[in-house]
Every structure is written in C-alpha cells, then in structure tokens.
Amino acid sequence: MGVFRFLAENARWLAAGALLTFLSSFGQTFFISIFAGEIRAEFGLSHGQWGGIYTIGTSASAALMIWAGALTDQFRTRAIGAVVLMCLAASCLFMALNTWAALLPFVIFALRFCGQGMASHIAVVSMSRWFVATRGKALSVAGLGFALGEAALPFSFVLLMLVMDWRLLWMAVACASLLAIPLLLLLLTRERTPQSHAETDHSVGMEQRHWRRPEVLRHFLFWFMVPALLGPPAFNTAFFFQQVHFAEVKGWTHLELAALFPVYTAAAVGAMVVAGGLLDRVGTGRLIPWSQLPMFVGFLCFALGGSLGWTLVGLLFVAMTTGATQTLPNAFWAEFYGTRSLGAIKAMAAAVMVLGSAIGPGITGYLIDFGVGIETQYIGVAVYFLFASAMMWIGVSRARQML
C-alpha cells in the first residue's frame, strides 16, 4: 500500500492517535519543566526538593499505570480517551489553581498519569492493535503528535511567559484538553472494540501464540529489556527537566537553549519515520538493540561540549533514539508477545518507563544539591546507555530464535 493511499484510507484513526499523543504533551516533562523556574520560585523549592516532588508524583502514576493501562483491552478508545482527556483538563486546572507546596506531588501525579501515562498509552496501543502489516507507519504517523508538541510548545510557552502569568497558561491548556474531546469522538465514530479486533486482525508473538502478562513477567526477554525501558525516559526526562539549570551552567539564557528544540524535534521526526518504515520491512528484532547507541554520543556532547553548537550536535544524536523509540518499543511488544493482551503487556512496560521518568529528575536534582555537576552526571549517563544496549542485544538475540 502506498503512503498516500494508506493515509487517505486510515486518516480518522491516525488523526485520533496523533491528537492523543499531542495532548499528552501537557503531562510530559518537556512541557512541565518549562515552568520549573516559576514553580521553584513560587513555592521556595531547591533543585533537589522539586526533583523529589516530581519523583514521588511520577512514581505513583507509574504504579497506577500497571492497572489502568490494561483497561485498553476492555474499552473502546473513544470512551476511555474522552475520560482521560477530561481528567487531564482537571489536572491542568489543578496546577493553575494550586497554592500549597504540599499538594504539588498530587498535581504532578495527576498530570503525569493522565498525560504522559494514559493519553500516550491509549494512542500507541490503539495503533499497534488496529494496524498489523503497517504497524510501523501507523505508529510513526501517530507519533507526529509527540513531535509537534516538542517542537511548538517549549519555545512558544517560554515566549508567552514573558507577557502572561504562568498560571493563566495552565488554564489555557486545560481548555484545550476539553475542546479536544468532541474532536476525538468525531474521529472515532467508527471503531472496533479491542476484543473483537484482537480476534479478527491479531498477530501472534514468539512460539506462534499470544502471551499473557504473567507469562511475560516470567520470561527472560522482559528483564533484559528493563534497562533500555528505563534509560531514555529517565535521562531524556532529566535533560529537559534540568534545562533551566543546564543553560545556567553553560552560561546561556533559557531562551537560547529552547530555540534548539525545534531542530531536535525535526530530527526526531525524521528518525521516527525511517524507523517506522524499516521495522515494517525487517522487524524490530534487528533494529532495537542498536537504537540507544546515539544516546551515548549525545550525552557525551552535553557533558564535554562548551558551546550551543555542541549541544545541538548532542540533541541531534539524542533525537535519533527519541524518534526510534516512538515506534520500535511499541511495535516490539506486539511482535514478540502478540496483540491479544497488548494493553496489559504495554501497560507494564509503560509503568517501567514512567518510573524511569520519575527516577531521572530525582537523581539529577539531588546530585546537583550534593555538588555533583550536571556535566559530570551526563558522562555517567552516556556509560549507562552502553550497558543498556548490551543487555538488549543479548536478550533480543536469544528471543529472535523463538519468533
């Protein structure tokens, strides 16, 4: 099927996926961290305290994801998606109106669970289930919502904060989440239920069968994948979470650093499209073990480079992994474990990833408070990605024999 025919015949479902991934931006670290300076100043928080609050809230959202993510196996996307968007709007309003530091962990929990957690989970599970032979293309198109959010929101909202109060901006995104609900319902007026679709257009995994979540937990491949699941969300999140501090250490303004992010996003989109096309041809097993090596180079550039140019080079390398991880891991679970219990399996993986995004800001924040510079930390991060890549290569090489 040609690309244009694929887009035309599946426009409504692809658009629904992209809408959900875009709206997940309001609970993603790259968006919340835009307001880090204002939040710390408003509530009198150190880097470590703010990072700790973020870790607590995000960890709680990861725990709830294990249960809530499995709901995508039982309910239509249009129904559960509308509920999640209503909750996301309430979470944004919670951030806008909250004046108590003690409630910040609950604010972060709500934003991370509804945005980064459920909105993105619903989108990628739906694409992975609805599309089989063209799964890579579908995930790439839906992933454009992530890319649009990363490209447009940071720079735009940094500029808007020059003329508007940060709390008003959170009210605006709450309204945007509510207004998106009728559009989502319109796009998905025709939709199969998860169970009926799994029975008709399913794809099996290893040993030519569908795996259940308890079986996946007992299988060696899942545990070899855990370091790779943790790494990108932990340290990509940490980079964007500490962007204000990173700019200060390097001697730049926040606006100068944020101006690089659209280039990063464009590179990530290119990597996402390439990875999506390749996985439809050769499968995730041949691609995924190498997908995190660019992160090694990228974080070395952040650590050792002294100019915006070197940071841009680092962002381009990180973008290669960021783009690939929009498609490869999501397709990986369907390819290796089948699609019948995909929501439950993907929820477990998503919980690990959300936990990673909780760990990164907390670790970096406390290390900064204890005098370990962010540049020194990023050298350690680079080494971590070598370890994660080695673990993936060992696990996937063994598991491919079972496909």
Side-chain angles (χ1 to χ4, degrees):
M1 182 183 295
V3 173
F4 291 108
R5 181 183 169 193
F6 170 75
L7 294 174
E9 293 183 357
N10 300 284
R12 63 169 60 227
W13 297 285
L14 296 171
L19 177 65
L20 285 168
T21 56
F22 174 76
L23 293 170
S24 78
S25 298
F26 303 144
Q28 300 279 4
T29 299
F30 74 81
F31 185 77
I32 298 173
S33 63
I34 296 169
F35 306 91
E38 284 69 21
I39 293 171
R40 287 196 300 108
E42 180 91 10
F43 296 99
L45 302 173
S46 70
H47 289 286
Q49 289 170 327
W50 171 227
I53 288 170
Y54 205 80
T55 296
I56 292 169
T58 304
S59 298
S61 73
L64 186 57
M65 274 297 299
I66 297 174
W67 170 80
L71 296 176
T72 55
D73 290 330
Q74 305 298 326
F75 297 97
R76 293 173 182 265
T77 298
R78 69 193 305 265
I80 193 171
V83 172
V84 166
L85 291 183
M86 284 190 284
C87 294
L88 179 60
S91 303
C92 295
L93 196 61
F94 192 9
M95 174 64 92
L97 300 178
N98 176 48
T99 57
W100 292 357
L103 292 180
L104 277 177
F106 298 96
V107 176
I108 297 302
F109 161 77
L111 287 170
R112 301 291 277 158
F113 173 72
C114 297
Q116 185 212 22
M118 286 301 292
S120 59
H121 175 71
I122 293 167
V124 299
V125 168
S126 298
M127 296 302 103
S128 298
R129 178 176 282 123
W130 292 342
F131 300 90
V132 178
T134 55
R135 185 177 291 133
K137 291 189 185 73
L139 287 167
S140 295
V141 174
L144 292 174
F146 290 120
L148 179 61
E150 289 179 343
L153 296 179
F155 190 69
S156 300
F157 275 75
V158 170
L159 287 177
L160 286 170
M161 279 195 295
L162 297 176
V163 295
M164 293 179 65
D165 183 76
W166 66 278
R167 293 182 182 275
L168 291 177
L169 295 177
W170 279 103
M171 291 183 184
V173 297
C175 293
S177 300
L178 286 176
L179 292 173
I181 294 174
L183 177 57
L184 180 70
L185 297 176
L186 178 64
L187 290 171
L188 296 181
T189 50
R190 290 191 293 116
E191 181 194 350
R192 296 180 182 181
T193 63
Q195 293 303 324
S196 68
H197 190 82
E199 295 296 330
T200 56
D201 292 323
H202 63 76
S203 61
V204 294
M206 293 177 290
E207 301 175 351
Q208 295 298 300
R209 66 185 180 91
H210 293 281
W211 292 63
R212 295 179 296 111
R213 183 155 72 178
E215 296 174 312
V216 175
L217 275 174
R218 294 191 296 267
H219 192 248
F220 72 88
L221 179 57
F222 176 79
W223 298 104
F224 273 91
M225 291 296 295
V226 165
L229 292 173
L230 285 170
F235 299 116
N236 226 2
T237 297
F239 176 79
F240 284 102
F241 187 81
Q242 303 293 357
Q243 61 181 274
V244 175
H245 176 69
F246 182 71
E248 292 173 354
V249 168
K250 295 292 189 179
W252 313 320
T253 67
H254 186 197
L255 193 59
E256 287 175 323
L257 179 61
L260 302 180
F261 295 162
V263 181
Y264 158 82
T265 302
V269 170
M272 178 178 63
V273 172
V274 171
L278 286 175
L279 77 85
D280 285 339
R281 291 178 172 84
V282 303
T284 56
R286 291 185 174 89
L287 297 176
I288 203 167
W290 315 104
S291 61
Q292 294 191 10
L293 289 177
M295 297 288 272
F296 168 75
V297 180
F299 274 89
L300 280 183
C301 290
F302 297 154
L304 304 177
S307 67
L308 281 167
W310 275 111
T311 297
L312 178 60
V313 171
L315 284 170
L316 292 175
F317 275 98
V318 170
M320 294 179 191
T321 296
T322 302
T325 53
Q326 296 297 336
T327 56
L328 293 180
N330 298 316
F332 172 84
W333 303 110
E335 182 175 332
F336 278 79
Y337 292 111
T339 56
R340 189 164 294 158
S341 299
L342 182 61
I345 295 169
K346 180 67 177 65
M348 188 170 58
V352 175
M353 296 170 72
V354 174
L355 179 63
S357 67
I359 292 171
I363 291 175
T364 54
Y366 280 110
L367 287 177
I368 290 169
D369 282 358
F370 281 107
V372 181
I374 196 72
E375 295 167 311
T376 302
Q377 292 183 43
Y378 285 164
I379 293 175
V381 170
V383 174
Y384 176 89
F385 281 109
L386 287 180
F387 164 73
S389 298
M391 292 289 286
M392 269 198 297
W393 184 84
I394 294 169
V396 173
S397 296
R398 290 178 58 193
R400 279 179 58 195
Q401 301 172 24
M402 303 169 65
L403 286 173

Short mmCIF file of all heavy atoms in Angstrom, two decimals, residues 32-33 35-37 39-40 45-55 95 104 108 241 361:
data_model
loop_
_atom_site.label_atom_id
_atom_site.label_comp_id
_atom_site.label_asym_id
_atom_site.label_seq_id
_atom_site.Cartn_x
_atom_site.Cartn_y
_atom_site.Cartn_z
N ILE A 32 6.17 20.41 31.36
CA ILE A 32 6.12 20.81 32.77
C ILE A 32 7.39 21.55 33.17
O ILE A 32 7.35 22.53 33.92
CB ILE A 32 5.91 19.57 33.67
CG1 ILE A 32 4.58 18.90 33.34
CG2 ILE A 32 5.95 19.96 35.15
CD1 ILE A 32 4.37 17.58 34.04
N SER A 33 8.54 21.11 32.63
CA SER A 33 9.82 21.72 33.01
C SER A 33 9.97 23.15 32.51
O SER A 33 10.82 23.89 33.00
CB SER A 33 10.98 20.87 32.49
OG SER A 33 10.99 20.83 31.07
N PHE A 35 8.06 25.40 33.20
CA PHE A 35 7.62 26.21 34.34
C PHE A 35 8.43 25.94 35.60
O PHE A 35 8.05 26.39 36.68
CB PHE A 35 6.13 25.93 34.61
CG PHE A 35 5.24 26.12 33.41
CD1 PHE A 35 4.97 25.05 32.57
CD2 PHE A 35 4.70 27.35 33.13
CE1 PHE A 35 4.15 25.21 31.47
CE2 PHE A 35 3.88 27.53 32.02
CZ PHE A 35 3.61 26.45 31.18
N ALA A 36 9.55 25.19 35.46
CA ALA A 36 10.32 24.79 36.64
C ALA A 36 10.79 25.98 37.45
O ALA A 36 10.70 25.99 38.68
CB ALA A 36 11.50 23.92 36.22
N GLY A 37 11.32 27.00 36.77
CA GLY A 37 11.81 28.17 37.48
C GLY A 37 10.71 28.88 38.24
O GLY A 37 10.89 29.27 39.41
N ILE A 39 7.81 27.58 39.27
CA ILE A 39 7.29 26.73 40.34
C ILE A 39 8.24 26.74 41.54
O ILE A 39 7.81 26.88 42.70
CB ILE A 39 7.07 25.29 39.82
CG1 ILE A 39 5.93 25.28 38.79
CG2 ILE A 39 6.76 24.34 40.97
CD1 ILE A 39 5.77 23.96 38.07
N ARG A 40 9.55 26.61 41.29
CA ARG A 40 10.50 26.60 42.40
C ARG A 40 10.49 27.95 43.13
O ARG A 40 10.57 28.01 44.35
CB ARG A 40 11.91 26.28 41.89
CG ARG A 40 12.07 24.81 41.51
CD ARG A 40 13.53 24.40 41.38
NE ARG A 40 14.25 25.16 40.36
CZ ARG A 40 15.15 26.09 40.62
NH1 ARG A 40 15.45 26.39 41.88
NH2 ARG A 40 15.75 26.73 39.63
N LEU A 45 11.40 26.16 46.49
CA LEU A 45 11.96 24.81 46.42
C LEU A 45 13.38 24.83 45.87
O LEU A 45 13.69 25.60 44.95
CB LEU A 45 11.09 23.92 45.52
CG LEU A 45 9.61 23.77 45.91
CD1 LEU A 45 8.86 23.02 44.83
CD2 LEU A 45 9.47 23.08 47.26
N SER A 46 14.23 23.95 46.40
CA SER A 46 15.56 23.74 45.81
C SER A 46 15.42 22.78 44.63
O SER A 46 14.36 22.20 44.39
CB SER A 46 16.50 23.14 46.86
OG SER A 46 16.14 21.80 47.15
N HIS A 47 16.54 22.59 43.90
CA HIS A 47 16.53 21.63 42.79
C HIS A 47 16.18 20.24 43.30
O HIS A 47 15.39 19.51 42.68
CB HIS A 47 17.90 21.60 42.10
CG HIS A 47 18.21 22.83 41.31
ND1 HIS A 47 17.62 23.11 40.11
CD2 HIS A 47 19.05 23.86 41.57
CE1 HIS A 47 18.09 24.25 39.62
NE2 HIS A 47 18.96 24.73 40.50
N GLY A 48 16.78 19.85 44.43
CA GLY A 48 16.53 18.53 44.98
C GLY A 48 15.09 18.35 45.45
O GLY A 48 14.49 17.29 45.24
N GLN A 49 14.52 19.37 46.08
CA GLN A 49 13.14 19.28 46.56
C GLN A 49 12.15 19.17 45.39
O GLN A 49 11.23 18.35 45.42
CB GLN A 49 12.81 20.50 47.43
CG GLN A 49 13.52 20.50 48.77
CD GLN A 49 13.36 21.82 49.51
OE1 GLN A 49 13.28 22.90 48.89
NE2 GLN A 49 13.31 21.76 50.83
N TRP A 50 12.36 20.00 44.39
CA TRP A 50 11.49 19.94 43.20
C TRP A 50 11.65 18.60 42.48
O TRP A 50 10.66 17.97 42.09
CB TRP A 50 11.82 21.11 42.28
CG TRP A 50 11.19 21.11 40.92
CD1 TRP A 50 11.82 21.34 39.74
CD2 TRP A 50 9.81 20.91 40.57
NE1 TRP A 50 10.93 21.28 38.69
CE2 TRP A 50 9.69 21.03 39.17
CE3 TRP A 50 8.66 20.64 41.32
CZ2 TRP A 50 8.48 20.88 38.50
CZ3 TRP A 50 7.44 20.49 40.64
CH2 TRP A 50 7.36 20.60 39.25
N GLY A 51 12.89 18.13 42.36
CA GLY A 51 13.11 16.82 41.75
C GLY A 51 12.48 15.70 42.57
O GLY A 51 11.93 14.75 42.01
N GLY A 52 12.54 15.81 43.91
CA GLY A 52 11.91 14.81 44.76
C GLY A 52 10.41 14.77 44.61
O GLY A 52 9.79 13.70 44.57
N ILE A 53 9.79 15.96 44.56
CA ILE A 53 8.34 16.04 44.34
C ILE A 53 7.96 15.40 43.01
O ILE A 53 6.99 14.64 42.91
CB ILE A 53 7.88 17.51 44.40
CG1 ILE A 53 7.93 18.02 45.84
CG2 ILE A 53 6.49 17.69 43.80
CD1 ILE A 53 7.74 19.51 45.98
N TYR A 54 8.75 15.69 42.00
CA TYR A 54 8.49 15.14 40.68
C TYR A 54 8.62 13.62 40.70
O TYR A 54 7.82 12.90 40.08
CB TYR A 54 9.48 15.75 39.67
CG TYR A 54 8.98 15.74 38.25
CD1 TYR A 54 8.08 16.71 37.81
CD2 TYR A 54 9.41 14.78 37.34
CE1 TYR A 54 7.63 16.72 36.51
CE2 TYR A 54 8.96 14.79 36.03
CZ TYR A 54 8.07 15.76 35.62
OH TYR A 54 7.61 15.75 34.33
N THR A 55 9.61 13.12 41.40
CA THR A 55 9.82 11.67 41.51
C THR A 55 8.66 10.99 42.22
O THR A 55 8.17 9.94 41.78
CB THR A 55 11.14 11.37 42.24
OG1 THR A 55 12.23 11.88 41.46
CG2 THR A 55 11.32 9.88 42.47
N MET A 95 -3.04 22.40 38.55
CA MET A 95 -1.75 23.09 38.54
C MET A 95 -1.94 24.60 38.55
O MET A 95 -1.24 25.34 39.25
CB MET A 95 -0.92 22.68 37.33
CG MET A 95 0.38 23.45 37.15
SD MET A 95 1.57 23.20 38.49
CE MET A 95 2.51 21.82 37.81
N LEU A 104 1.71 19.69 45.64
CA LEU A 104 2.43 19.54 44.37
C LEU A 104 2.64 18.09 43.96
O LEU A 104 2.53 17.76 42.77
CB LEU A 104 3.78 20.27 44.43
CG LEU A 104 3.75 21.77 44.14
CD1 LEU A 104 5.15 22.37 44.31
CD2 LEU A 104 3.23 22.04 42.72
N ILE A 108 1.53 16.74 40.24
CA ILE A 108 2.43 16.04 39.32
C ILE A 108 1.91 14.65 39.01
O ILE A 108 1.93 14.19 37.86
CB ILE A 108 3.86 15.96 39.91
CG1 ILE A 108 4.43 17.38 40.09
CG2 ILE A 108 4.77 15.13 39.01
CD1 ILE A 108 4.49 18.20 38.82
N PHE A 241 14.07 18.27 32.13
CA PHE A 241 13.69 18.74 33.46
C PHE A 241 14.71 19.74 34.00
O PHE A 241 14.34 20.73 34.65
CB PHE A 241 13.59 17.54 34.40
CG PHE A 241 13.05 17.87 35.76
CD1 PHE A 241 11.70 18.00 35.98
CD2 PHE A 241 13.90 18.06 36.85
CE1 PHE A 241 11.19 18.30 37.23
CE2 PHE A 241 13.41 18.36 38.10
CZ PHE A 241 12.04 18.48 38.29
N PRO A 361 14.74 12.85 37.06
CA PRO A 361 14.76 14.18 37.70
C PRO A 361 15.16 14.12 39.17
O PRO A 361 15.87 15.01 39.66
CB PRO A 361 13.32 14.67 37.53
CG PRO A 361 12.81 13.93 36.36
CD PRO A 361 13.44 12.57 36.43
#
